[in-house]
Amino acid sequence: MGLVWDGITEAFRLIFTGDAQVYEIAFLSLGVSAAATAIALVIGLSVASFLAFRAPPGRTVAISFLNSGFALPPVVVGLIVAVLLWRTGPLGQLHLLYTPGAIVIAQAVIATPVVTALSTAALQGLHPRLRLQVLALGASRWQAAWLLFREARLALLAAVMAGFGAAISEVGATIMVGGNIKGETRTLTSATVLEVQQGNFETAMALSIILLLLIYLVILSLTVVQQRRPPA
Amino acid sequence: MSGTKLGLRGVLVERAGRAVLQIDSLDVCAGEILAVVGPNGAGKTTLVQVMALLERPLRGEVLFDGQPASGGPLSYRRRMAVVFQEPLLLDTTVEGNVRSGLALRGVHGEEQRRRVALWLERFGIAHLARRSVRALSGGEAQRTSLARAFVLEPEVLLLDEPFGALDPPTREALIDDLDRALAETHTATVFVTHDRSEALRLGDRLAVLIGGRIRHVGPPAEVFASPADEEVAAFVGIETIAAGRVRSVEGGLAVVDVGGEIVEATTPADAGADVLVCLRPEDVVLSPREERASPTSARNRLAAVVRRILPAGPHARVELDAGFPIVALITKQSLEELGLAPGSPVVASFKATAVHLIPHRPRG
């Protein structure tokens, strides 16, 4: 218990003394995971709308692939993204390996199936004729999409939270494609791994607590949006 | 009544390779209410979705004001409104729902507020304006859905079984309000239902849809009195339909003037009301003219002349003229014993309890 208590004390010391390195790592983690979640959301909503509203042939197979994405091993994602971004790889020209951009890509790959699968379920949960009713009211395709997303907002925001959670809590792929470079690609999870490897359990515990606080703050604000009364 | 507002030409819709809707031609004219009746699975909802440009047919076209509705469907959808069987409300307030279509169509500000207030009032839901739709009863939800359609002041209104999911008293009250709203707005309307009495109540013209095809279109009395074929006859129940006006009501007995003849009915009605008198052919008893004076419990005994006799399985369908057309269904044996032929004078008797009155406001 002593370690946990020391960790909490250290965490608050780092937060309140404004430790520049810790803040930098925390902001990078938040920024990278937010970007990955945003990418996952754009792709996820597009694919989910197509699957839920167009009901293409092979929909069940497609959804089963997406659902398998819940168990997508981050290490495998990291390896594949690293190979793609490797200097001699197909995307080597982009010079993204060991940059925050590479971490965004890896985390987006991890979050996208989660967001897509949950968004598809959310949109499939709407009344099948609601889309027709909205179009009949005079909605354009974009207006209809917006209104239907708003109708499914409870479940869609749950999908966003799950996607963000998968992204920010991930470490294997982050280290593999980011390299855990101090001041460049070090995130809260990769820094924690490093501190543990170096035997600095107190700092590792402090970073973990900061990570948990950060996750809670983000999820709290998303939950507030989710639980708001329906707009008039 | 002026020209055609909305029409279908040569429309074919297939599902899994099977034709579910095949319409050569169907029109609804300006100011007219076209009631489309048909059993479940007849293709009624598909018909509405094609007319509303929500579903593209495999073949054929939708005409708007006589012109093919070409280009994007959005501009045409914004001239129509659709009410489905389920209220399909957005998760917001009653007022938010009634406003939603106007906002999508670019009607804002004072005009939006005026129209929303008007139609909330017309459908008796003004007091629910700020209530979440999650707290509405089925009837209140459907009122909201109807107000959301009428507030758009559409050129064409499409109603797909709007009362299908409601209990009878709620349905009655809502039909009254809808009837009044339609009479005031004169909107070209397609009213789809499986319920014959709803169709008679609201429709100026009747179209019978069976197996994806329009089998008969015409004035209600014609469709019921001389259905196009056996299937139509079986569905509509071959009823006698005649327009009349309630002359008086005494002791629960309504006295109705039908083209100068008097018909008595036990259906509740108001004196002076315009009604359709409905009578099932199996409730009509025929007897020789000389027996007209002999006592019977049947309140209605009308002198009539046989116009036409058609075989109907083990029965005969006898079309009579009693000052208005009446159809009787009798056995072949009775037909022979009475020696009936076109031109035969008879007495058509039926009980006041067999007569069903449907309120029907004459339009146009």
Side-chain angles (χ1 to χ4, degrees), chain A residues 172-188:
Chain A
T174 298
I175 293 178
M176 213 176 282
V177 302
N180 204 6
I181 302 164
K182 188 178 178 185
E184 284 183 39
T185 58
R186 188 161 292 174
T187 65
L188 283 168

Side-chain angles (χ1 to χ4, degrees), chain B residues 37 39 207-217 222-239 308 310-313 317 319:
Chain B
V37 279
V208 181
L209 182 70
I210 297 176
R213 289 171 181 271
I214 297 287
R215 306 289 277 270
H216 197 158
V217 192
E222 178 201 300
V223 174
F224 280 84
S226 43
D229 57 44
E230 271 182 54
E231 267 191 287
V232 175
F235 178 71
V236 299
I238 340 177
E239 289 189 47
R308 199 158 72 126
L310 297 170
R317 185 171 178 275
E319 296 178 8

Side-chain angles (χ1 to χ4, degrees), chain B residues 1 31 186 204 361-364:
Chain B
M1 220 172 275
H186 298 289
D204 298 320
R361 199 193 307 270
R363 292 188 180 82

Side-chain angles (χ1 to χ4, degrees), chain A residues 129 136-138 151 230-231, chain B residues 49 78 82 86 91-92 105 148:
Chain A
R129 277 224 285 261
L137 282 172
E151 286 301 298
Chain B
Q49 289 177 187
R78 288 185 173 174
V82 186
E86 313 83 5
D91 184 17
T92 169
R105 295 178 188 206
R148 180 174 64 174

Side-chain angles (χ1 to χ4, degrees), chain B residues 40-351:
Chain B
N40 289 332
K44 301 193 294 292
T45 295
T46 308
L47 174 74
V48 168
Q49 289 177 187
V50 169
M51 285 186 138
L53 297 163
L54 293 169
E55 178 166 354
R56 197 196 295 263
L58 188 66
R59 273 213 304 275
E61 59 187 3
V62 180
L63 304 182
F64 208 102
D65 285 336
Q67 299 296 318
S70 51
L74 183 61
S75 61
Y76 294 100
R77 285 190 201 133
R78 288 185 173 174
R79 296 165 70 182
M80 298 192 260
V82 186
V83 177
F84 289 103
Q85 180 172 348
E86 313 83 5
L88 299 172
L89 299 176
L90 300 171
D91 184 17
T92 169
T93 59
V94 168
E95 192 180 0
N97 269 281
V98 176
R99 196 195 301 135
S100 58
L102 288 174
L104 291 169
R105 295 178 188 206
V107 179
H108 298 286
E110 189 47 43
E111 173 68 3
Q112 187 191 76
R113 276 190 291 278
R114 183 189 67 76
R115 284 209 223 169
V116 170
L118 173 72
W119 286 102
L120 286 172
E121 194 61 49
R122 290 273 178 92
F123 278 100
I125 46 173
H127 62 293
L128 303 172
R130 297 194 187 281
R131 188 172 292 182
S132 161
V133 296
R134 297 182 194 187
L136 297 182
S137 70
E140 290 165 343
Q142 200 54 289
R143 281 174 183 280
T144 306
S145 182
L146 282 164
R148 180 174 64 174
F150 272 95
V151 78
L152 299 170
E153 297 179 2
E155 291 173 54
V156 179
L157 182 61
L158 301 163
L159 306 169
D160 183 8
E161 302 249 12
F163 313 118
L166 302 177
D167 58 81
T170 309
R171 176 191 307 215
E172 271 312 305
L174 198 44
I175 292 178
D176 275 342
D177 285 356
L178 175 62
D179 190 16
R180 213 169 296 128
L182 288 172
E184 282 170 20
T185 57
H186 298 289
T187 310
T189 302
V190 179
F191 174 65
V192 166
T193 178
H194 70 275
D195 186 304
R196 293 166 300 166
S197 61
E198 278 181 12
L200 281 170
R201 172 81 188 273
L202 296 171
D204 298 320
R205 269 197 315 147
L206 225 59
V208 181
L209 182 70
I210 297 176
R213 289 171 181 271
I214 297 287
R215 306 289 277 270
H216 197 158
V217 192
E222 178 201 300
V223 174
F224 280 84
S226 43
D229 57 44
E230 271 182 54
E231 267 191 287
V232 175
F235 178 71
V236 299
I238 340 177
E239 289 189 47
T240 292
I241 307 274
R245 175 168 288 173
V246 180
R247 204 184 262 183
S248 64
V249 183
E250 263 175 58
L253 199 65
V255 177
V256 185
D257 182 335
V258 186
E261 299 294 327
I262 292 300
V263 172
E264 295 184 351
T266 53
T267 317
D270 298 324
D274 291 304
V275 291
L276 290 176
V277 173
C278 306
L279 184 60
R280 298 185 71 84
E282 54 269 37
D283 291 331
V284 178
V285 174
L286 300 183
S287 50
R289 188 66 74 82
E290 51 271 24
E291 286 180 23
R292 193 181 183 191
S294 47
T296 148
S297 67
R299 296 293 308 173
N300 297 291
R301 268 178 288 170
L302 303 174
V305 175
V306 174
R307 285 280 169 242
R308 199 158 72 126
I309 300 172
L310 297 170
H315 299 99
R317 185 171 178 275
V318 184
E319 296 178 8
L320 306 155
D321 181 358
F324 61 93
I326 291 185
V327 180
L329 193 67
I330 63 173
T331 59
K332 283 186 175 154
Q333 287 83 345
S334 297
L335 183 73
E336 279 172 25
E337 284 170 23
L338 289 169
L340 296 182
S344 304
V346 290
V347 174
S349 312
F350 45 93
K351 297 168 72 134

